[in-house]
Amino acid sequence: MHRDVTVFGSANADLRVLVDELPRRGQVTLGHDLEMGPGGRGLNQAVAAARMGARTAFVGAVGSDDHGTMLLRCLAESGVEACVDEVDGRATGAAMIAVDEHGEITVIELPGANATLDGVSDRAAHTIRGSGVLLLQLETPVAGSLDAAALARGSGAAVILDAGPQVGELDVILGAVDVVVVDLDEVREAAGMPDATLEDAVAALATRVPTVIAFGGLRGSVIADAGGVRRLPRYVAHALDSSAVTDTFCGALAAGVAAGRSVSEAAEVAVAAAALAVQRPGSADSIPTLADVEEYLSLQRAG
């Protein structure tokens, strides 16, 4: 079976709590409206790619527990082909997320079964080789992502990397990818240029990888490639929950590239998808469909 996008990465059970103020060291924070739902960068990005119309597979790992069952159900309901190992003796990955009134978050993550993704199984290798685009993150062991990237490139697939949440690991894998997405606040660290302008830092990274995107959500994003450095469209919206905003962007970007758009064209649609996601609560539950994004873009052009 041909797949447009394969996502290799993490899957978590997200425990979300709304707070008036994000937790500080040594301070008791009052929370309310506790919620449980599917999440994890990898799973979120797979859901996003599928909702944007791509034939999508997800390669990951869960524990043999109720949380794992919930995540597998989410993938199935989203139309994502699951190539997921159920690991005995490991709990499914989990994340505890505090969300304030501005949509900003603080996360405590428990890797669980995600920590076992330090290589690629034969079944996963078959899935990766059958894809046009491989999407990776740094929320699982970098050794497994490197193996996956080598398989993808060997079969002619494009490799997109979300550099979160461990930008310090970027140097190890940067040469194995075609597109890297870095958080706007971490671009200077990623480039090793703490005092540089944003544009100079992005341009420096783009000498090491064909395309770099500094993603800033509603604050705006920058893309750099052989054509130079330029700004992506920026949307004004009320931020409700930023939990899956970067994931929505990355999944939509991969779907657009798989559909034959240039990275720049795909990124312009992906920033609109991210602007929609930030206006909705939850992680995977907040991710829009292609129809949602097309309607949103139509309203933006009309308005």
Side-chain angles (χ1 to χ4, degrees):
M1 172 185 173
H2 173 76
R3 302 163 190 86
D4 296 325
V5 177
T6 291
V7 181
F8 179 94
S10 58
N12 289 333
D14 282 355
L15 185 67
R16 298 172 63 255
V17 59
L18 302 183
V19 295
D20 296 324
E21 186 177 353
L22 292 178
R24 296 180 184 177
R25 183 175 180 178
Q27 174 182 310
V28 175
T29 301
L30 185 64
H32 41 89
D33 292 337
L34 183 67
E35 299 174 355
M36 170 75 77
R41 285 181 184 251
L43 181 142
N44 287 344
Q45 292 177 16
V47 170
R51 290 186 182 168
M52 290 296 290
R55 290 166 293 187
T56 305
F58 173 69
V59 177
V62 298
S64 299
D65 51 30
D66 290 344
H67 289 167
T69 300
M70 174 185 69
L71 300 185
L72 292 172
R73 183 170 60 248
C74 172
L75 292 169
E77 291 174 349
S78 300
V80 176
E81 177 189 349
C83 181
V84 177
D85 293 330
E86 294 187 48
V87 184
D88 290 332
R90 289 277 190 140
T92 297
M96 292 176 283
I97 305 172
V99 185
D100 72 9
E101 61 182 1
H102 304 294
E104 296 298 321
I105 61 173
T106 295
V107 182
I108 299 173
E109 187 173 341
L110 292 78
N114 294 315
T116 67
L117 293 173
D118 54 0
V120 178
S121 68
D122 290 342
R123 182 167 67 114
H126 176 76
T127 299
I128 291 166
R129 290 192 185 102
S131 297
V133 175
L134 175 68
L135 180 53
L136 304 168
Q137 320 83 39
L138 294 177
E139 201 168 47
T140 54
V142 70
S145 293
L146 278 168
D147 288 349
L151 286 166
R153 281 194 151 182
S155 62
V159 180
I160 300 174
L161 172 70
D162 168 17
Q166 300 182 69
V167 72
E169 298 274 10
L170 189 57
D171 284 346
V172 178
I173 195 172
L174 197 60
V177 306
D178 302 293
V179 182
V180 63
V181 179
V182 185
D183 185 270
L184 196 69
D185 294 328
E186 296 182 332
V187 171
R188 294 174 180 84
E189 178 187 350
M193 302 169 64
D195 300 320
T197 65
L198 172 64
E199 288 75 12
D200 285 348
V202 173
L205 270 181
T207 64
R208 301 169 59 196
V209 65
T211 304
V212 176
I213 299 172
F215 178 70
L218 297 180
R219 295 175 296 157
S221 301
V222 175
I223 184 170
D225 54 22
V229 180
R230 55 202 179 278
R231 296 271 175 174
L232 290 170
R234 183 178 178 183
Y235 298 96
V236 177
H238 173 67
L240 182 62
D241 187 344
S242 62
S243 299
V245 173
T246 301
D247 299 333
T248 298
F249 175 82
C250 292
L253 176 70
V257 171
R261 299 188 187 95
S262 69
V263 175
S264 182
E265 291 169 336
E268 291 185 4
V269 176
V271 291
L276 269 178
V278 79
Q279 300 177 61
R280 303 172 174 184
S283 294
D285 294 336
S286 71
I287 297 169
T289 65
L290 178 59
D292 293 334
V293 177
E294 289 175 340
E295 180 182 5
Y296 181 71
L297 285 171
S298 178
L299 289 171
Q300 294 294 315
R301 295 183 189 113

